[in-house]
Amino acid sequence: MECPTTPASHSHRLLSPVVSHQKHKPCQIKLCTKTHFESNVDFFGISASIQGEKRNSLSGKLTEQRHQTLLSIKHHREKYWVHFIGIGGCGLSALAMLALKQGMEVSGSDIVWSSFMDGLQEAGARLYLGHSISNIKRNGDGSSLPNAIVVSSAIPPENVEILHAKSLGVPVYKRDYWLGKITEHYNLIAVSGTHGKSTTASMLAYVLSAMGDDITAIVGAHVPQFQGGNIISGRGRNFVLEADEYDGCFLGLSPYIVVVTNVEWEHVDVFKDEEATINAFRRFLKKIRSGGHLILCGDSEGASNLLNQRRQETVSDHAQLTPSFQLSSDGYSISTYGISNFNDWHASSIRLNSQGGSDYVLCHKGCPLAEISLQLPGVHNVLNSLAVIVTVMALVNDNNLTCDAINRLRFHLNNFIGVSRRFKMIGRICSCHIYDDYAHHPTEVHAVIQTARQKFPVGALWVVFQPHTFSRLAAFMKDFAAAFGDADRVVITEVYASREVNIWNISGKDLATSVVGPRSEYIPSLVILQMWE
């Protein structure tokens, strides 16, 4: 069988060509909300006392009076001007778009144009290719400067815009500090973990929004069902955030709910080993507000290691559907989910459905509650949906509505279509289905290939993989070599270097010669890639 492939973009990708197969009424539920709130908002040095009224809907919408107060804070000066350095990345582009939606003036620079920058430009941001001190001057004489500069973790401290801003006294914030400032007055729901953050955060945000919650959300990937691409800009009290561990970014947050999907060693340029990664997550859990919640995948060894002691498992009475949490010594509640039945919430009887996704039975404390149907395939997406269910149930206020809440969840979970570059079909060539996935860790590569094999059990499965960063390839060479076992043919390309210089003297060819199982070949450029017989 012969099949040409599609040229790669500048970012790495994993392509899986495979052979193909072929209402319930939505309504609102009540979630946990306070009947009265009062808070002091400090918007980067401008303070105001805000008094709210009763909030008895799922969204906990701000009153019009509070909304106008926030607007007056934001527009205290002509317009609060924020300049983003490294604006083309998925993380900073989302922050920039949210700032635009909230009425700020936004500019930004990056060395390469990205698809995220298209949307920002359309929304009114001033964007620059390349870094220059002129980028942070509105007037030619430099009389007008940004109120703040936000910097991506990928930008070195010697960047000319950073140095010039500091010399003029313009505040320069790293992404973690900025995230902490813009989320500190929300009920922050931080979705963390080595794998599955983007899908879980976007699924949660979609479900909450569909159930009537006027949320704000930031996700580190494009979400087709988000009007804002990778953000939702709402007026409610809940904020869903994909919380990234890279460079300790999540340590600047003060979350009400933390979701931990799993923990593995991944960012090898930041963490020296898995224990360092686990320690970073332990520090993150210390940031959970008193009275908050930790929702954790009990099947993940790394995530389970975050707990000081394993909880004693009990099975509740079938009629008791209210989530019962273990209380930690730090004053927050803990609940676990997973496939294994020792978790508080688990999935059983997982199977493929007619949509090409997964069906399963949702169980709480060992008791079956409901049939869940997803459009998304793969056991990893079953786990992602469990995290969403437990999070929403943790927000439920009226215990009598818990069964009703599960019914609403079922409907909206089934309507969620996923995130871009997460096992997405991008075309058909020569009777092959071409799928694109962002998998760049051995665990993720194995999961997506396994998902493809489960979805399409017959037919040849060919994988084209571009390793992401030299440091990751060097650290996980043996794990990568074993991750392609379910494929029939494998092509490895040259490494996508990102921010790195190849001090490891390693290449994609080294991986190609190490792959265990299927036939593999090294072809440096996808542009000239020709499939073989």
Side-chain angles (χ1 to χ4, degrees):
M1 178 166 107
E2 295 183 357
C3 181
T5 60
T6 306
S9 65
H10 289 293
S11 61
H12 83 293
R13 60 178 53 191
L14 183 151
L15 299 176
S16 306
V18 295
V19 180
S20 172
H21 293 288
Q22 41 174 317
K23 290 190 178 181
H24 178 224
K25 184 179 179 181
C27 56
Q28 295 184 352
I29 64 170
K30 295 182 179 179
L31 294 193
C32 180
T33 56
K34 301 175 183 177
T35 57
H36 187 273
F37 69 94
E38 183 174 3
S39 62
N40 291 319
V41 172
D42 179 12
F43 192 81
F44 307 105
I46 308 171
S47 298
S49 178
I50 299 172
Q51 179 109 357
E53 298 177 0
K54 289 186 178 181
R55 298 182 292 119
N56 56 9
S57 69
L58 177 146
S59 63
K61 287 187 177 180
L62 299 173
T63 61
E64 188 62 27
Q65 177 184 2
R66 180 172 187 262
H67 180 58
Q68 293 301 324
T69 305
L70 285 173
L71 286 178
S72 67
I73 293 171
K74 293 174 185 176
H75 296 285
H76 185 268
R77 305 168 193 172
E78 293 179 347
K79 240 189 182 183
Y80 198 89
W81 175 16
V82 188
H83 181 77
F84 294 86
I85 305 177
I87 198 169
C90 59
L92 232 61
S93 64
L95 294 178
M97 183 63 78
L98 182 62
L100 284 167
K101 296 287 186 182
Q102 293 178 338
M104 301 184 211
E105 179 182 350
V106 169
S107 62
S109 61
D110 215 321
I111 57 174
V112 176
W113 193 271
S114 75
S115 59
F116 292 111
M117 294 170 73
D118 293 332
L120 288 169
Q121 190 173 57
E122 291 174 7
R126 294 193 313 279
L127 304 178
Y128 306 93
L129 274 182
H131 301 300
S132 167
I133 61 174
S134 63
N135 295 345
I136 59 173
K137 297 178 181 179
R138 186 188 288 119
N139 301 326
D141 58 2
S143 60
S144 182
L145 297 169
N147 299 103
I149 287 181
V150 184
V151 183
S152 164
S153 299
I155 301 298
E158 62 271 18
N159 176 276
V160 293
E161 295 178 20
I162 295 175
L163 295 177
H164 186 65
K166 287 183 175 180
S167 72
L168 297 175
V170 178
V172 177
Y173 303 116
K174 290 191 70 174
R175 184 165 61 107
D176 59 342
Y177 181 85
W178 184 263
L179 278 169
K181 292 296 290 182
I182 67 173
T183 61
E184 63 184 344
H185 299 294
Y186 288 88
N187 291 327
L188 177 61
I189 305 164
V191 180
S192 67
T194 305
H195 319 295
K197 291 187 297 291
S198 296
T199 300
T200 303
S202 59
M203 187 187 298
L204 175 61
Y206 171 79
V207 167
L208 287 175
S209 181
M211 294 173 83
D213 192 350
D214 194 10
I215 64 164
T216 298
I218 293 180
V219 177
H222 178 77
V223 186
Q225 289 169 295
F226 286 8
Q227 188 174 2
N230 54 354
I231 71 156
I232 297 175
S233 179
R235 294 166 55 192
R237 288 283 289 161
N238 291 328
F239 194 125
V240 175
L241 174 69
E242 178 181 341
D244 188 6
E245 74 272 21
Y246 185 79
D247 200 24
C249 188
F250 58 9
L251 297 179
L253 304 174
S254 180
Y256 171 61
I257 293 177
V258 164
V259 176
V260 182
T261 59
N262 43 65
V263 178
E264 280 192 274
W265 186 31
E266 206 271 308
H267 296 294
V268 300
D269 55 334
V270 175
F271 304 113
K272 66 177 183 179
D273 53 27
E274 184 158 334
E275 187 58 32
T277 304
I278 292 173
N279 286 336
F281 275 87
R282 286 194 179 115
R283 291 172 61 197
F284 177 47
L285 299 192
K286 296 286 186 183
K287 305 290 184 178
I288 300 176
R289 299 174 190 173
S290 179
H293 301 268
L294 168 61
I295 295 165
L296 178 144
C297 180
D299 291 353
S300 166
E301 181 179 355
S304 295
N305 285 339
L306 298 176
L307 304 179
N308 293 327
Q309 60 184 15
R310 294 304 299 255
R311 56 186 301 180
Q312 298 296 318
E313 306 305 328
T314 59
V315 178
S316 64
D317 181 78
H318 185 272
Q320 180 63 33
L321 300 182
T322 306
S324 56
F325 298 93
Q326 176 191 8
L327 187 65
S328 77
S329 59
D330 294 307
Y332 57 79
S333 302
I334 301 171
S335 185
T336 62
Y337 68 90
I339 307 302
S340 303
N341 60 12
F342 60 74
N343 292 291
D344 297 320
W345 298 82
H346 79 274
S348 67
S349 305
I350 301 171
R351 58 205 180 276
L352 291 174
N353 60 33
S354 60
Q355 296 176 294
S358 297
D359 288 351
Y360 65 90
V361 176
L362 172 67
C363 300
H364 179 244
K365 298 292 187 179
C367 301
L369 300 183
E371 289 270 354
I372 305 297
S373 184
L374 306 173
Q375 293 190 45
L376 307 183
V379 173
H380 59 292
N381 280 315
V382 170
L383 290 170
N384 294 338
S385 69
L386 284 171
V388 170
I389 290 169
V390 181
T391 303
V392 174
M393 297 308 292
L395 291 169
V396 169
N397 182 35
D398 188 339
N399 296 341
N400 296 324
L401 287 180
T402 304
C403 288
D404 192 44
I406 292 175
N407 287 331
R408 285 14 176 224
L409 275 166
R410 294 174 62 216
F411 177 82
H412 296 301
L413 284 170
N414 182 252
N415 284 340
F416 181 68
I417 63 174
V419 180
S420 295
R421 300 206 64 195
R422 303 306 189 272
F423 198 64
K424 285 295 179 185
M425 197 177 100
I426 57 175
R428 299 183 187 182
I429 304 176
C430 302
S431 301
C432 294
H433 288 188
I434 313 297
Y435 279 75
D436 180 23
D437 197 282
Y438 185 65
H440 54 275
H441 183 279
T443 298
E444 296 167 349
V445 171
H446 174 72
V448 72
I449 295 175
Q450 191 176 58
T451 297
R453 181 60 78 193
Q454 291 171 350
K455 187 176 176 68
F456 307 109
V458 295
L461 176 59
W462 296 2
V463 176
V464 181
F465 179 65
Q466 183 178 26
H468 187 279
T469 73
F470 298 106
S471 60
R472 184 179 285 112
L473 180 59
F476 299 125
M477 176 64 76
K478 290 184 178 179
D479 298 308
F480 273 122
F484 298 92
D486 286 330
D488 295 301
R489 299 282 183 89
V490 178
V491 172
I492 307 295
T493 75
E494 190 47 273
V495 178
Y496 177 69
S498 184
R499 53 192 170 271
E500 293 184 345
V501 176
N502 187 11
I503 62 174
W504 296 268
N505 192 28
I506 198 170
S507 76
K509 186 175 183 179
D510 298 311
L511 176 56
T513 58
S514 303
V515 169
V516 177
R519 177 182 170 185
S520 61
E521 183 168 336
Y522 173 65
I523 301 180
S525 174
L526 290 178
V527 175
I528 61 171
L529 178 63
Q530 295 293 325
M531 283 293 186
W532 64 96
E533 288 287 343

